Amino acid sequence: MTPARGRLRIYLGAAPGVGKTCAMLDEAHRRMERGTDCVIAAVEHRDRPRTAQRLEGLEAVPRRPDGEVDVAAVLRRAPAVALVDDLAHTNAPGGPRAKRWQDVAELLDAGIEVITTVNIQHLESLGDLVESITGVRESDTVPDEMVRRADQIELVDMSPPALRRRLAHGNVYPPDRIDARVSHYFRLGNLTALRELALLWVADRVDEYLTRYRSEHRVSAVWGSRERIVVGLTGGPEGRTLIRRAARLAEKGAGGEVLAVHIASRDGLPAAPPRELALQRTLVEELGGTFHHVVGEDVPSALLEFARGVNATQIVLGVSRRKAWQYVLGPGVSSTVARDSGPDIDVHLVTHAEAGKGRGLPMARGSRLGRSRTVAGWVTGVAGPGLLTLLLLGIGVGGPIGLANEMLLFLALTVAAALLGGLLPALASAAVGSLLLNWFFTPPEGTLSISEPHNVLALTVFVSVAVSVASAVDLAARRTQQAVRLRAEAEILSYLAGSLLGGGSGLQALLERVRETFSLQSAALLEREEADARWTCAGSVGPGPVAARPEDADVDVPVGDRMALALSGRVLPAEDRRVLAAFGAQAAVALQHQRLRREAEQARELAEGNRIRTALLAAVSHDLRTPLAGIKASVSSLRSEDVEWSEEDRAELLAAIEDGADRLHQLVGNLLDMSRLHTGTVAPLIREVDLDEVVPKALGGVPHEQADRVVLEVSESLPMVAVDPGLLERVVANVVENAVKYSPDPAPVRVSASAHGDRVELRVVDRGPGVPEETKERMFEPFQRLGDAPRGAGVGLGLAVARGFAEAMGGALAAEDTPGGGLTMVLTLPAARTGVAGGAAARERA
């Protein structure tokens, strides 16, 4: 009898050192306390004390001579649970299986439960993505299907700063095993990206388990465990707008997912353009979503059924493109979906260009019912009475029905004309209907005379009722139009009030809102100069020409005594000026805020300049006096005529003079450089150079007695960099000098370089006291020095100048902790486009 397949439990981590092996061993101890037979098939403790402690008390099956898992020995031992560390490990050549995950698969087939570990970067499907993040291609991989089939996957998580602290304390790798490659791999950006990748991958697996559970237990209700947004597409060009809107909604929620669906119906509607659907499919996939085709007899039902089937929480639909009269045929897809979606699914209706360009306020006068309804009203009012007369005269009617009933039918037709077209079509229907009633149905028939007085009353009542109904419908339409307009005005005024209270929109955005709201070609805020009464443009938007004066515009709205809102494109009715006045007032406030922000920025710059000058005076008063005092004392001693100096004393005094002059030269150079940076006069001359040519020159400024402590590791095979050689030399010199000052003697200062994609990194590693995380950025500000700075450390401009020059060349300078203690300065430079081959070719030509 074939044994049942063993269960697989995987501890998944984002990077080495998060604690996967420790978690696996802790689980083994818990199971042993419950009486479960657990053995170690392979655990890599990598000389980590905490991991080695957890191995105590656990039985280990001897491994093969080459160090790999002895599957045969484990099968002979036949434990209930086997611990196999590092699932993606590649076995030594010559063994029965090439990968460790294949060893695990054989143990599982034998019915043994396996607990193992793996990092997210070792999943085969993520190889390219991980390489783009870290610059390292993982050779040890495991198929995704192997991990997906695990019965349990537990994420072992740790924040990137905490993991970097573990690395710095030597808890992950011994300090002597940490090189530039490892330090680069454990950068905060890399660790954050890998952590997000692991979290999302595990979230997807949880979602798969949830989907399987809902299917097995036939759960139809929506469980909003994550935001899943369904986009309903008709194939029209507005679909791209809906997709982008859904993608923005998905970004607001953790792990949001977009599913675009096109429902092909069989109700005779024209098919969607294949080209447009193909473009929308591409857009969805580029934004990380999926595209689906669904066939359904009823579009709203099919859309809701699909949304509930995928456990969607939101549906995004576009505003209908149908004409108003077409709603007589039904409420439309969006209204039906919103009505039937229930409390579990939110429905978003998104406006788009196809639904109407511009958001002009409703017209206060003119047609209130729309052209389609007006035409339908006139057709009903003029042609309807004639058709009704033919019907009553015997076409489909079996005999006379009486004048009262005939008048009621004509009255109903008049009411229908009023409801469709308003007052005039109803009056026409009443007039035509009264004439036809008099001629065909009122005795004596065939004449326009009326013989019975009560018939005169009946016709009079008929005409009066028709006119009254038509007037009521027209008044209702007018009130509805006024309500819509007032609502639009209220929304605009509410927007302006909220904008004012919230700090205000920019002037350009406000003018664009005016232009868009009233469908204009251009909008501008003009301001009159006090001196010569000339008008200047404070801001304008729109493709059309901008009026130079208020009187040149189609609409001008005064704003105070010195401003005016000038609008061009069409003449607006007088009732729009109330809203325009509010727009103008808000535009003036926005202009004032804009100017106040600019003045505040100027004041901040002036205050910063004053702070720098104050700090400069405080620092220079001491740091200039010290070397000057030394120079002065040495010169005075040499000039003294009553003292006979020996050659050794004379040489020592001259050396003191030279040392003081060098310190003054460096201080003045840094001050001038900082001045150039603050005034924006640094203009780098970028060209392609080799690091191995520039860096050695930069080390020439290191004191001779300290020069042997600097270890240079810059390979000639590195790509060339696009920099200003002079600025780069200053940057490297300042950074290395800072490292030598703070690194204790005789600890070396290492200068190494490595290439990572389109950038090259130069790392200066010292073994000094390091810098707390919260002060790493502040150390790059001018006049910042550590509390325990060594004597003669200067005024604290070296690193500020170095970062300024690095950023001026398109690079960056940052500080990281050195694993094992100390500080590492990372200088990132753009690689030249010629790449490695180009750099080598350039050297050969040289």
Side-chain angles (χ1 to χ4, degrees), residues 23 45 200 229 382 471 490 521 538 557:
H45 61 81
L200 292 176
I229 303 172
V382 176
S471 300
Q521 292 184 359
V557 180

Side-chain angles (χ1 to χ4, degrees), residues 158-240:
M158 179 177 288
S159 68
L163 180 55
R164 285 178 55 81
R165 283 195 296 272
R166 291 196 65 190
L167 182 72
H169 296 157
N171 295 334
V172 180
Y173 298 112
D176 57 351
R177 290 182 52 195
I178 299 177
D179 53 14
R181 176 183 176 276
V182 173
S183 299
H184 170 79
Y185 189 91
F186 280 84
R187 296 180 65 178
L188 276 176
N190 292 354
L191 296 178
T192 302
L194 291 174
R195 187 189 191 199
E196 181 183 21
L197 198 60
L199 290 170
L200 292 176
W201 195 90
V202 172
D204 287 339
R205 303 294 74 73
V206 173
D207 193 60
E208 289 178 3
Y209 298 151
L210 178 62
T211 302
R212 185 164 61 246
Y213 177 87
R214 284 168 48 85
S215 177
E216 293 173 353
H217 293 76
R218 298 181 180 178
V219 178
S220 58
V222 174
W223 291 358
S225 55
R226 65 184 294 188
E227 292 295 340
R228 186 172 282 105
I229 303 172
V230 170
V231 186
L233 302 178
T234 64
E238 74 278 2
R240 282 171 271 179

Side-chain angles (χ1 to χ4, degrees), residues 19 85 127 173 180 234 419 445 485 560 595 611 644 681 754 756-757:
D85 199 10
Y173 298 112
T234 64
L419 292 173
E445 298 174 358
R485 176 181 176 80
R595 289 175 174 173
R611 186 189 70 83
E644 186 68 28
T681 57
S754 56
H756 304 281

Side-chain angles (χ1 to χ4, degrees), residues 60-79:
V61 176
R63 297 165 73 166
R64 292 169 45 195
D66 56 5
E68 305 301 344
V69 177
D70 193 338
V71 176
V74 177
L75 294 178
R76 288 193 299 270
R77 172 63 175 77

